[in-house]
Amino acid sequence: GTPWYDGSYLTQALDGMEGAVRESFKQLWIPILSVCHVERIGTIAVGTIKAGTLDAGMRVKILPNDVVAKVESIEMHHSALSTAQAGDHVGFNLVGVDEATNIRSGCIATDPDVWYSTLVDRVYL
């Protein structure tokens, strides 16, 4: 220790912290970071699940385009998953979506049965 400091050390402070709460109980919300097309596999979307859980085989709605697609498979760090939860950074294969026109960086993947309102506003410069 140091004679001039009497507080807790970094390791003590880190040990005393609580872990992040994963919001897996909320509705699915995945901001899409990137999209690519892989030959013989299809459209792959990459993003971090902010809330909810993503299951292989489930349907997702791509906002704002209102396109519904099926999640064929999920991968995280080159490992296949059947389920991913809030906080996981995943790549997921989408069937039924055209990568060129229906999905891009900035879109949101969410539960297709949940209604979301659209906010329209004006910006004056």
Side-chain angles (χ1 to χ4, degrees), residues 23-86:
E23 297 183 330
S24 298
F25 55 90
K26 292 187 175 182
Q27 295 296 331
L28 181 65
W29 192 258
I30 309 172
I32 304 297
L33 299 175
S34 64
V35 179
C36 64
H37 183 80
V38 178
E39 195 171 326
R40 289 180 281 172
I41 294 178
T43 302
I44 305 294
V46 177
T48 301
I49 302 172
K50 298 298 182 182
T53 57
L54 181 68
D55 297 317
M58 76 182 290
R59 295 177 315 123
V60 294
K61 182 184 278 188
I62 307 299
L63 299 176
N65 301 330
D66 286 333
V67 175
V68 177
K70 179 183 175 189
V71 177
E72 186 71 23
S73 61
I74 307 167
E75 283 194 15
M76 183 170 63
H77 305 295
H78 304 288
S79 297
L81 300 174
S82 59
T83 301
Q85 63 179 340

Side-chain angles (χ1 to χ4, degrees), residues 89-108:
H89 185 75
V90 296
F92 49 104
N93 182 6
L94 294 171
V95 175
V97 63
D98 178 18
E99 176 248 340
T101 59
N102 293 327
I103 185 171
R104 63 189 176 281
S105 177
C107 287
I108 302 292

